[in-house]
Amino acid sequence: MTERRSLTAGLRFAAIVLLATSATAQERYAGRWTIERGDAAPWARGDGDVDPAEVKRLVGTRVTFEPKHIRGPAPLACDGPKYVIEDVPAEGLFQGGLAEYGDHRVDADAQATRMGFAKRPIATLDTGCEGAIDFHATGDDELLFALDNVIYRLHRDAAHAASPRKTP
């Protein structure tokens, strides 16, 4: 009986920690963001690798991170996200795409710096949503994500901009 009580208490504690981590992750990036631009990813090799109509469809749209939803255009919208912040090295950006498919003449760390990632490791918001799109923070008010050979930049809307807060 003591083992069972101990196991139950341990599971409750783990659930509380997981919920607190998820809440913290959601709060850190909560609010409305706008997709400001989309640029060909370093691994895109030619004009046929990027769909200009898709870039046009997404740029200028809003994405809102809420506790129980991500509101925005497909494929970013999601019901029931499971927010987690992970620290990733430059080689882990865009699910490893920067290191694996990027410009092999330049290491992933240098490429990441060129893209605006000044600090290492890089805070990354994993939403747990079906599309498995990670949002990488260059700072408190800019997130980058990759989709179909394009790197998109989201900027936090001014009304929701962070008060001075440090992204580790």
Side-chain angles (χ1 to χ4, degrees), residues 66-96:
E66 299 174 354
K68 296 183 180 181
H69 306 280
I70 298 174
R71 302 198 188 280
L76 303 176
C78 172
D79 289 327
K82 306 284 188 267
Y83 298 107
V84 176
I85 295 175
E86 300 172 345
D87 288 331
V88 301
E91 295 79 14
L93 285 171
F94 313 114
Q95 299 177 347

Side-chain angles (χ1 to χ4, degrees), residues 25-92:
Q26 189 279 325
E27 289 169 7
R28 187 166 175 184
Y29 299 108
R32 196 169 57 212
W33 298 70
T34 300
I35 300 175
E36 295 291 336
R37 69 181 221 229
D39 299 310
W43 55 83
R45 299 293 178 222
D47 291 339
D49 284 354
V50 174
D51 180 359
E54 181 67 0
V55 174
K56 185 176 180 179
R57 180 183 78 84
L58 291 173
V59 171
T61 62
R62 291 210 165 103
V63 176
T64 305
F65 296 101
E66 299 174 354
K68 296 183 180 181
H69 306 280
I70 298 174
R71 302 198 188 280
L76 303 176
C78 172
D79 289 327
K82 306 284 188 267
Y83 298 107
V84 176
I85 295 175
E86 300 172 345
D87 288 331
V88 301
E91 295 79 14

Side-chain angles (χ1 to χ4, degrees), residues 123-151:
T124 297
L125 179 63
D126 177 352
T127 63
C129 295
E130 186 177 322
I133 295 172
D134 294 333
F135 297 88
H136 305 287
T138 62
D140 291 327
D141 297 321
E142 183 180 59
L143 298 172
L144 275 62
F145 71 94
L147 180 65
D148 297 333
N149 297 318
V150 176
I151 305 293

